């Protein structure tokens, strides 16, 4: 099947009707370049490759109208269409291998450390002795790799909707997918929303939601019923960390998430952010919340990572205790909006 | 004069010979699109406009090979060639007006607050009662605007090499160039290196070096003799803050700067960083050093900004005391390198 004919960023559902999507039209109108051989045969390139500079990948989306980040492509390693999304892996000139879902960069070998380490250790280093952890999404395995560094953890459940992401990551990103090799991991391929509804009440110490943007298969992971299921599945004083977009680009989405979380999580509700060069605007944020029960002070980590984890996974590249606390310091324009939702 | 024919990013001098500059070749080879009217007449577009998506500006440089950030252009407002560099101003679709020097984005109206506020208040809020401040570069006036918020300051000297930058900023960026209107400002158009050599010894409380990258007119501002002149011009316990590139892209340049500064500044030497979406990799760093004399603990600001400054310049958008301290918390990969230079 020549799946690439189906690939178009214009297929994405748009979360905000007021956004200008003319940039996407530009991207998808000029798809007629010849393409490199994939699996030995000549195929058409996906729209996001050929529309900008020949031989480059360009990331355009109605989520960030009027701008595009482009990476030079050395070789397309994989392109396919799963039941949920378009999946591309390419070797870039300067960022290592790159995983792209529905035209959006999910990880590059050069900067994945920042996202994976922060989304994992911000919650897990904020509570003593996490034992049972649930990961929703995160099919590349990078979050599993980071969870596995915590010696106290006994069980790591993962629910990822798209098996193709897992398979592709195991094939092309062994240093990321190494997380799947940990014997504590139970992988379920399925819908995270349904999984959480069926989870035993109060069963997890921590839930990590490693989702893509709220315009594809991850849409429901940004909505109130999902957060309610998360809160129900957590023990008292349990913690959740969810991917929560960019302060520079998506304050409207973030305001909604913060409002929802303040209603649902009766412990603490915090926003943190970190630098990830290949994400739009160069940053990504996280919502960190705890349920009613023992107090969780996310800004002052109580559970440092055991250095012995370096033996299996190499040393941490990005995360440390100072950068943990610093991640909660917000620019004034964002602080004002997020704190106003506190009341 | 049709200055745009001279515009080519390939003219840039390259700081590191091992970088791959084939991306620049792509950018400059395809310069044959029709262009919007500028000053009522049809002109050729600069190389950085037409090479990627028609109607978009793309930023490519041997300083960040293999990647490009692009902004959709609504209208080109100015393009010229000064004695030092190519100067472009355009109205972007989603980042407001944009100033570009030698093909590299210097500021956008949407995110200039982060850079201007951090490069200014990191040094000035770290010492009590700064009175005499020197700004090298910074011809857009944004740093002046921020220095002027400090009521203790009595004299602000600025030395900018390129008059065209000052003129263009006054014409197109009034909210940035408002800094020039402060009566404490003395503007000199000239070479910052020479200016500092002639400055009276021990005369400044703070020097702020708001330079472009070290591959154009700003090259000398990253070299040892310049830092020696800065140290000489500062009073004992005086402070300097210089633009110091990206942790993600330029650790080699940063290592050199840190080594030089450790030799020259006998007080404290620190690296800080902040998020600026339209700078390459989405971050920019700063070297913050003090001369021998009263101790300066940059991580704990002692001189908060007087709220009354909001009356003239509007409230601060980005800077606050928490984000000041957070800026000095570095990812592990950078911390290791920078701290190794401490010995």
């Amino acid at each position: 099947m020549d799946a690439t004919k189906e690939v178009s960023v214009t297929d994405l559902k748009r979360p905000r009707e007021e956004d200008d999507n003319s940039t996407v039209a530009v991207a998808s109108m000029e798809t007629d370049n010849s393409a490199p051989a994939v699996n030995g045969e000549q195929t058409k390139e996906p729209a996001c490759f050929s529309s900008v500079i020949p031989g480059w990948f360009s990331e355009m989306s109605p989520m960030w109208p009027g701008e595009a980040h482009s990476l030079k492509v050395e070789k397309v390693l994989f392109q396919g269409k799963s039941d949920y999304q378009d999946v591309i892996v390419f070797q870039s000139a300067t960022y290592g291998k790159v995983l792209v879902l529905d035209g959006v960069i999910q990880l590059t070998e050069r900067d994945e450390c920042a996202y994976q380490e922060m989304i994992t250790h911000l919650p897990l280093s904020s509570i003593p002795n996490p034992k049972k952890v649930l990961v929703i999404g995160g099919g590349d395995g990078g979050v599993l790799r980071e969870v596995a560094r915590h010696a106290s953890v006994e069980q790591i459940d993962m629910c990822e909707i798209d098996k193709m992401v897992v398979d592709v990551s195991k094939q092309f990103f062994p240093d990321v997918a190494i997380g799947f090799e940990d014997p504590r991991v139970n992988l379920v391929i399925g819908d995270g929303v349904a999984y959480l509804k069926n989870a035993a009440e109060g069963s997890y110490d921590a839930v990590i939601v490693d989702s893509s943007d709220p315009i594809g298969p991850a849409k429901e992971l940004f909505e109130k019923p999902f957060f309610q299921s998360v809160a129900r599945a957590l023990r008292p004083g349990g913690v959740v960390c969810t991917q929560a977009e960019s302060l520079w680009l998506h304050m409207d989405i973030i305001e909604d998430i913060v409002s929802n979380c303040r209603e649902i999580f009766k412990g603490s509700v915090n926003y943190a952010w970190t630098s990830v060069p290949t994400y739009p605007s160069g940053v990504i944020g996280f919502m960190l919340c705890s349920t009613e029960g023992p107090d969780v002070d996310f800004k002052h980590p109580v559970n440092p990572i055991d250095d012995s984890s370096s033996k299996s996974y190499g040393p941490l590249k990005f995360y440390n205790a100072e950068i943990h606390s610093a991640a909660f310091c917000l620019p004034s324009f964002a602080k004002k909006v997020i704190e106003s939702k506190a009341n």
Side-chain angles (χ1 to χ4, degrees), chain A:
Chain A
M1 172 189 166
D2 183 358
T4 62
K5 279 181 188 153
E6 318 273 322
V7 178
S8 166
V9 283
T10 53
D11 291 335
L12 295 175
K13 286 179 219 112
R14 297 177 52 215
R16 292 282 181 279
E17 287 308 315
E18 67 275 20
D19 288 340
D20 166 20
N21 71 348
S22 60
T23 66
V24 176
V26 172
S28 55
M29 273 162 54
E30 308 186 15
T31 314
D32 57 1
N33 285 48
S34 65
V38 176
N39 300 328
E41 54 180 307
Q42 201 74 6
T43 61
K44 295 269 280 185
E45 280 185 340
C48 48
F49 277 76
S50 51
S51 58
V52 185
I53 317 165
W56 287 57
F57 162 82
S58 281
E59 185 184 64
M60 297 172 123
S61 164
M63 289 278 291
W64 44 91
E67 64 180 314
H69 190 239
S70 304
L71 293 176
K72 190 178 183 192
V73 178
E74 293 292 348
K75 193 178 179 185
V76 179
L77 301 171
F78 178 86
Q79 43 182 305
K81 191 174 173 67
S82 75
D83 291 342
Y84 301 96
Q85 54 204 343
D86 300 308
V87 180
I88 294 170
V89 178
F90 68 88
Q91 179 71 47
S92 70
T94 52
Y95 276 80
K97 288 200 281 282
V98 181
L99 172 66
V100 177
L101 300 179
D102 277 347
V104 177
I105 293 172
Q106 301 299 308
L107 70 83
T108 81
E109 288 182 314
R110 182 159 160 192
D111 66 2
E112 56 95 12
C113 60
Y115 177 77
Q116 319 272 22
E117 293 181 16
M118 293 298 274
I119 197 172
T120 305
H121 305 308
L122 287 177
L124 294 191
S125 294
S126 296
I127 53 173
N129 292 309
K131 289 199 170 70
K132 210 175 150 189
V133 178
L134 171 63
V135 182
I136 300 290
D140 54 62
V143 171
L144 295 177
R145 177 190 70 201
E146 296 306 317
V147 175
R149 289 183 190 271
H150 288 265
S152 68
V153 170
E154 295 167 359
Q155 183 179 333
I156 314 173
D157 296 336
M158 167 175 271
C159 185
E160 161 62 50
I161 201 166
D162 195 342
K163 185 170 180 296
M164 189 182 279
V165 175
V166 177
D167 293 342
V168 155
S169 185
K170 286 180 177 172
Q171 189 177 352
F172 296 104
F173 298 92
D175 293 343
V176 180
I178 189 175
F180 289 109
E181 292 170 21
D182 191 280
R184 294 165 290 178
V185 171
N186 311 302
L187 170 64
V188 173
I189 298 296
D191 175 11
V193 175
Y195 186 96
L196 262 166
K197 271 190 197 140
N198 296 322
E201 200 172 325
S203 54
Y204 290 103
D205 297 292
V207 175
I208 297 170
V209 187
D210 175 14
S211 68
S212 45
D213 294 319
I215 50 172
K219 186 169 172 288
E220 284 184 81
L221 306 185
F222 290 79
E223 293 169 359
K224 210 187 241 178
F226 176 74
F227 287 119
Q228 284 164 332
S229 300
V230 171
R232 205 187 56 85
L234 285 172
R235 66 156 169 84
V239 292
V240 61
C241 180
T242 77
Q243 189 271 96
E245 302 298 336
S246 161
L247 288 177
W248 287 105
L249 299 172
H250 306 123
M251 276 309 296
D252 53 344
I253 298 175
I254 294 167
E255 268 191 81
D256 289 351
I257 300 175
V258 173
S259 295
N260 287 340
C261 288
R262 293 236 189 250
E263 266 182 58
I264 292 162
F265 293 96
K266 303 297 184 192
S268 55
V269 173
N270 298 269
Y271 191 88
W273 64 322
T274 194
S275 155
V276 182
T278 55
Y279 287 170
S281 82
V283 301
I284 191 84
F286 309 103
M287 278 306 303
L288 286 136
C289 311
S290 66
T291 53
E292 201 166 7
D295 272 354
V296 179
D297 177 3
F298 283 106
K299 295 172 192 177
H300 299 97
V302 295
N303 181 30
I305 296 157
D306 187 350
D307 272 349
S308 68
S309 80
S310 300
K311 283 179 210 146
S312 309
Y313 303 105
L316 290 169
K317 292 177 186 163
F318 193 91
Y319 177 89
N320 54 55
E322 300 94 70
I323 217 158
H324 178 126
S325 298
F328 293 90
C329 301
L330 305 183
S332 300
F333 74 83
K335 205 175 155 182
K336 215 167 81 178
V337 175
I338 288 172
E339 285 177 1
S340 76
K341 295 288 162 188
N343 307 314

